[in-house]
Amino acid sequence: QVQLVESGGGLVQAGGSLRLSCAASGRALNNYAVGWFRQVPGKEREFVTSINWSGGNTDYAEFVKGRFTISRDNAKNTVYLQMNSLKPEDTALYYCAATPYRSATYRREHQYPDWGQGTQVTVSS
């Protein structure tokens, strides 16, 4: 099991940028693929993006393509989510999650056994 801690959330104006970090401990992160999900109160958690262990394969939800970029630095045991051109509808609690199927870029929650606590992103109009 790997422990995950998200950081970097905050309040930003529409059109602005934030970079979220997902720091891992307990296990080397290069043994895992990582996904980012987000959730708004009263709605189901939704897939945002994922990256395989090497960073060579990524997947993005349609609503973030061209605006968000996922990357990783395995030497720092950290995965990043660069979010540009933020919109009010991007406001949510953002979670990172890890799976030991490290070549995968999964989209479903149940495919990720390990989760962080989340970091809040609020985009004002």
Side-chain angles (χ1 to χ4, degrees), residues 36-89:
W36 284 95
F37 293 75
R38 68 186 189 185
Q39 188 170 27
V40 175
K43 293 189 176 182
E44 292 187 354
R45 195 151 48 184
E46 64 180 355
F47 169 77
V48 176
T49 180
S50 58
I51 189 167
N52 75 333
W53 71 276
S54 68
N57 286 325
T58 58
D59 186 24
Y60 293 91
E62 280 298 320
F63 55 80
V64 301
K65 280 185 178 178
R67 300 190 299 125
F68 291 10
T69 303
I70 191 170
S71 63
R72 64 190 299 156
D73 185 340
N74 286 335
K76 295 183 178 179
N77 251 17
T78 303
V79 170
Y80 303 99
L81 179 61
Q82 178 67 44
M83 305 187 296
N84 298 329
S85 302
L86 282 162
K87 306 174 181 180
E89 52 264 43

